[in-house]
Amino acid sequence: MPLERKAAGILQLPYTSMSKDEAIRWARLGLGSFLHVLGDEARELQKEAMEHAGVPIIFGIDAIHGHALNMDATVYPSQLSMASSFDPDMLERVGRATAEEVSADGLHWTFSPVFCLARDIRLGRVDETFGEDKYLSGELGAAMIRGYQGDDLSSDLSILACAKHFIGIGEAAGARDSYDAEITERRMRAELLPPFERAVEAGCRSFMTAYGSIDGEPCTSNAHLLRDILKDELGFDGFAVTDWDNVNYLVKMQYTAGDVKEASLLAIEGGNDMIMTTEEFYSSAIELVREGRLPERLIDEALYRILSAKYDLGLFEKPYKQAPSDRIGAPEHIELNRSVADECVVLLKNDSILPLKGKQKIAIIGNTADDIRCHYGDWTYFTHPSPNPDAAPRRPYVTLLEGLRDRAPSHGHTVSYERGYELYSDKAYIDKAVSAAKCADVIIFACGDLIDRIGETHDCATMELLPSQSAVFSALSELGKPIVTVLIASKPMCIPDIVKGSRAVLTAFNGGMFGGDSLAKAIYGELNPEGKLPISFPYHTGQQPTYYNTLPGWHADRYKDVPREPLFVFGDGLSYTEFSYTGAAFDEKTLTLSVNIKNTGDMAGTEITQVYFRDLVSSVITPVKQLIAFKRTKLQPGEEERIEFKLSERDLSLVNRECRRVTERGEFEIMVGGSSRDTSLTRIRFTL
Ligand code: BGC
């Protein structure tokens, strides 16, 4: 193959930033990949590629929570929202259904899932993660990969997954998107690598590098990360793609290369196999090889990895492979999406008000209740990467307001609605909200972050509600009527006063097409909430980062001015029934934990049981608790079941000073219960 074709073959370009003629020219040159093409246009480009270069193009897209850049596709809850389900089987089904929709557009690859952990919630991209825990992220992400890729990659219904962003975007100092992170090798291996290891084990065929840097070294050019760890040590046999124009960013934003040519050299030496959107890479790579500065072997190796993926996808035999077009927004996917949204509802507080009973007049206050963009969140046709905020969304979808209005009459309820706020405080809105609320028995207050505050490069300094939302809440509180707060937000927010002033609080984060409907069902008791938080809610923005698996050793143990435990902690989530845990036992020989769980209330419900461990004395400081297993159990009222968790020595391991994963002998504590909150856990000590 001529060098020119090889260089083109490891380049990916954005269809959205060029003319059609240019795209055809690149297809004929043998371009490796286009991103963000939809439907017939992909087919046309493939035809050009096959006729002129004889190598199929792989088409990639950001199908992050469903194929949501296509207006007809199914929009699932955000990744963070879906993490509240603690349900890998469901995530696998979502991956599978999304793969069908992506493939129906003639595309082969999604840049999902995200395996980075959320730490400091000021980061705009928290919604893209599975939350703060490495074990949960690994389990859910691996399931999603299985769904996307299926058992047979060459099937018309399978696409490639992409584990991203390698590595540590959640760790950037001050939660500044793509900024430098101070992570030591040991901590990286102990905390950040494990979910990515699960991605490799699950057979993920592509990885995307992170924009950020670790201790001054950009991840994009970090050969230790990409070559030593990912490829050699973990045995990753797929291909690594840079993030968007990352090669240029080495020049223009990180200043570790003087020009694109030098940056191209660094990126390939660093271990990237595909270069995303840096067009100048093409001529740079050719010149570098001709000048003898870049061994052609490195280009060959990168190309080999990409061609292998194309081969396994079956593209050489079926370059136009495509799922049937009726897969986009298929009725089964819509049904699946309804049940997904149901599992994502998290009830955070309930002071005997929900489910709503009796004859009531309800005032629904809050703009987000009827703004489908807020239910959808980031990475849809409304937002990133080609924002169209005024797009008219396609049905079916149900906002919270619609979900409540649909149900109210059958409960003998009347409903009124006021927007309550816009981006900025407006007295007229507040006055209208207050007069509606005055005539009501119950107020349902919808709040959260607005769409222009979330996602990539949309980091925030404060995590309180918008002043306009807080102002209307204060005015409503003065009426002394019961308030049910529904948080429709991309991530946790610092809302202690709102929680205190509300009789009930619930969220589904960005719950997708049916998030609003599921929240309404929960309010009316048509579903019993079962979601648990995959991420903690701090009291105050200044408490960042807040996560459950902290290290011991903080002399103060808490900030003087806020309580010790987070407002809501990882694993929290209430139900309309109660579950009791009894008879916990641990068999030290087989490392098997068993416990009885009983539904002691009068409504059927699903409990998510969580198992944590602590190494009581260890050579390096280890977390006060760490999740190592979880299980969902559905129980009828009065029903009891004994559930078992088979653990392994590796589950109890740490990464030692020599950066090796080991299990140190000694005393351990196993904890089991319905939340990571200390008061929810039964503890058993044992010696290994
Ligand atoms: C994001 C990636 C995304 C890529 C392609 C980047 O800006 O960081 O997550 O996959 O764009 O759209």
Side-chain angles (χ1 to χ4, degrees):
M1 195 188 271
L3 176 60
E4 287 79 358
R5 188 154 295 165
K6 291 183 190 175
I10 64 170
L11 181 61
Q12 177 183 58
L13 291 176
Y15 183 68
T16 39
S17 332
M18 63 176 71
S19 68
K20 190 157 177 198
D21 285 350
E22 255 180 289
I24 290 176
R25 186 177 68 82
W26 277 110
R28 291 179 176 175
L29 276 178
L31 188 77
S33 174
F34 275 107
L35 74 162
H36 298 165
V37 192
L38 287 177
D40 292 345
E41 287 167 311
R43 220 178 157 75
E44 216 178 302
L45 292 170
Q46 191 70 301
K47 188 162 169 283
E48 296 290 343
M50 292 313 290
E51 281 176 13
H52 294 266
V55 180
I57 295 171
I58 181 172
F59 293 100
I61 193 139
D62 288 281
I64 304 296
H65 47 121
H67 183 33
L69 302 186
N70 178 326
M71 286 195 65
D72 294 319
T74 314
V75 182
Y76 295 92
S78 67
Q79 195 174 299
L80 184 72
S81 174
M82 289 196 283
S84 315
S85 69
F86 282 58
D87 190 347
D89 293 343
M90 187 187 83
L91 266 295
E92 186 170 338
R93 289 198 293 278
V94 170
R96 198 74 209 126
T98 301
E100 291 183 8
E101 301 206 17
V102 169
S103 172
D105 252 330
L107 316 179
H108 321 114
W109 179 22
T110 177
F111 308 129
S112 164
V114 168
F115 281 87
C116 290
L117 304 183
R119 287 292 189 212
D120 184 327
I121 58 169
R122 290 173 297 173
L123 185 75
R125 306 192 74 168
V126 167
D127 62 305
E128 295 180 50
T129 71
F130 287 115
E132 72 190 38
D133 183 67
K134 60 184 175 191
Y135 178 72
L136 181 65
S137 301
E139 292 305 298
L140 299 183
M144 219 163 168
I145 289 168
R146 289 196 297 274
Y148 288 140
Q149 299 191 162
D151 296 332
D152 173 12
L153 213 46
S154 70
S155 145
D156 287 354
L157 304 181
S158 297
I159 59 170
L160 294 192
C162 181
K164 68 185 191 184
H165 305 84
F166 198 61
I167 195 168
I169 66 160
E171 314 298 309
R176 295 171 172 95
D177 189 0
S178 307
Y179 191 66
D180 192 57
E182 290 178 11
I183 313 167
T184 62
E185 171 97 9
R186 197 197 68 79
R187 209 172 84 72
M188 191 259 292
R189 286 175 178 274
E191 299 301 320
L192 311 179
L193 199 56
F196 286 101
E197 290 173 3
R198 293 287 290 118
V200 175
E201 282 162 20
C204 190
R205 290 302 297 267
S206 76
F207 262 56
M208 187 185 292
T209 55
Y211 280 136
S213 52
I214 297 179
D215 192 18
E217 183 166 10
C219 294
T220 302
S221 52
N222 190 327
H224 178 56
L225 280 178
L226 289 178
R227 291 192 182 278
D228 301 349
I229 297 182
L230 180 62
K231 292 182 175 173
D232 295 347
E233 200 180 309
L234 302 186
F236 169 64
D237 62 1
F239 65 96
V241 61
T242 70
D243 203 340
W244 181 283
D245 211 12
N246 236 339
V247 168
N248 246 320
Y249 291 164
L250 295 177
V251 183
K252 293 184 187 157
M253 299 196 74
Q254 292 170 315
Y255 304 98
T256 57
D259 55 34
V260 185
K261 195 159 149 186
E262 203 182 322
S264 301
L265 181 61
L266 290 176
I268 294 297
E269 283 176 345
N272 294 282
D273 303 302
M274 185 179 275
I275 306 298
M276 188 193 283
T277 73
T278 309
E279 195 175 318
E280 307 90 305
F281 170 82
Y282 175 68
S283 51
S284 300
I286 296 168
E287 282 171 31
L288 285 163
V289 172
R290 296 220 165 109
E291 288 163 10
R293 293 173 63 200
L294 173 63
E296 195 164 345
R297 173 184 55 82
L298 292 189
I299 304 253
D300 290 346
E301 281 172 14
L303 189 62
Y304 178 79
R305 284 175 178 265
I306 295 166
L307 293 180
S308 304
K310 290 182 177 178
Y311 181 81
D312 292 345
L313 271 168
L315 289 180
F316 282 96
E317 280 180 24
K318 267 179 103 178
Y320 306 102
K321 80 171 200 165
Q322 195 163 357
S325 58
D326 68 359
R327 296 296 75 208
I328 296 183
E332 311 89 272
H333 302 172
I334 297 293
E335 270 325 293
L336 169 67
N337 198 9
R338 286 183 197 276
S339 56
V340 172
D342 285 352
E343 286 194 22
C344 298
V345 174
V346 190
L347 179 64
L348 294 167
K349 174 177 178 178
N350 188 15
D351 193 356
S352 322
I353 186 167
L354 293 182
L356 290 182
K357 297 168 215 79
K359 243 188 166 180
Q360 313 247 30
K361 287 195 211 100
I362 298 176
I364 301 164
I365 312 291
N367 200 336
T368 53
D370 200 34
D371 188 342
I372 193 61
R373 293 169 304 178
C374 298
H375 293 64
Y376 278 13
D378 200 15
W379 286 114
T380 75
Y381 48 84
F382 289 126
T383 54
H384 206 63
S386 309
N388 185 3
D390 300 321
R394 304 268 167 86
R395 297 284 179 179
Y397 66 83
V398 184
T399 64
L400 171 66
L401 178 64
E402 292 167 338
L404 291 168
R405 272 187 178 150
D406 284 353
R407 287 175 176 81
S410 62
H411 292 263
H413 290 180
T414 56
V415 166
S416 62
Y417 170 64
E418 285 299 334
R419 298 173 70 79
Y421 52 82
E422 283 290 348
L423 189 52
Y424 300 102
S425 236
D426 184 330
K427 183 129 188 347
Y429 280 119
I430 298 183
D431 290 347
K432 279 191 187 167
V434 169
S435 28
K438 269 187 185 154
C439 310
D441 305 307
V442 179
I443 301 165
I444 295 184
F445 175 63
C447 59
D449 50 9
L450 300 189
I451 206 73
D452 65 335
R453 301 252 164 150
I454 67 174
E456 207 175 338
T457 69
H458 292 173
D459 314 322
C460 286
T462 57
M463 287 312 304
E464 283 70 46
L465 290 184
L466 287 172
S468 55
Q469 296 184 349
S470 302
V472 71
F473 185 82
S474 307
L476 295 172
S477 307
E478 279 171 23
L479 302 176
K481 308 214 172 192
I483 302 180
V484 172
T485 292
V486 183
L487 184 71
I488 299 173
S490 69
K491 54 188 170 183
M493 303 195 71
C494 299
I495 49 168
D497 295 340
I498 306 283
V499 172
K500 199 167 164 202
S502 305
R503 289 273 300 275
V505 179
L506 61 170
T507 188
F509 295 111
N510 296 128
M513 281 177 149
F514 302 112
D517 203 38
S518 297
L519 287 162
K521 283 189 213 166
I523 288 171
Y524 275 113
E526 284 173 30
L527 78 80
N528 189 356
E530 58 194 50
K532 300 274 186 179
L533 285 182
I535 186 165
S536 303
F537 277 56
Y539 275 85
H540 193 277
T541 311
Q543 263 178 309
Q544 294 300 300
T546 298
Y547 45 89
Y548 81 96
N549 48 353
T550 53
L551 300 179
W554 183 12
H555 282 204
D557 205 28
R558 52 170 282 194
Y559 289 109
K560 276 272 183 215
D561 46 356
V562 284
R564 185 172 166 275
E565 293 255 23
L567 180 59
F568 300 112
V569 69
F570 177 86
D572 270 355
L574 302 170
S575 162
Y576 293 145
T577 190
E578 303 256 329
F579 297 97
S580 73
Y581 287 89
T582 54
F586 187 67
D587 181 337
E588 296 184 17
K589 285 202 194 76
T590 59
L591 300 185
T592 304
L593 171 75
S594 48
V595 68
N596 293 327
I597 162 169
K598 183 170 183 182
N599 180 344
T600 56
D602 50 17
M603 192 169 179
T606 297
E607 168 72 325
I608 298 169
T609 305
Q610 301 150 47
V611 180
Y612 299 87
F613 92 105
R614 179 172 184 180
D615 188 339
L616 290 170
V617 180
S618 42
S619 61
V620 290
I621 303 176
T622 49
V624 294
K625 53 177 86 87
Q626 174 57 53
L627 185 75
I628 42 172
F630 56 84
K631 194 171 250 166
R632 295 167 50 87
T633 314
K634 182 161 187 178
L635 294 171
Q636 297 304 319
E639 192 182 350
E640 182 166 14
E641 197 175 313
R642 188 152 186 87
I643 55 173
E644 250 187 28
F645 297 92
K646 288 207 183 310
L647 307 177
S648 69
E649 285 202 11
R650 191 178 163 84
D651 291 331
L652 309 174
S653 63
L654 54 77
V655 174
N656 68 13
R657 279 190 295 263
E658 287 74 43
C659 289
R660 285 209 323 273
R661 188 162 280 284
V662 293
T663 304
E664 295 180 341
R665 306 284 116 181
E667 234 194 325
F668 289 83
E669 193 166 61
I670 291 285
M671 294 156 250
V672 62
S675 162
S676 72
R677 202 171 274 275
D678 281 340
T679 48
S680 305
L681 294 168
T682 304
R683 293 158 188 270
I684 301 177
R685 285 193 174 199
F686 72 96
T687 306
L688 192 68

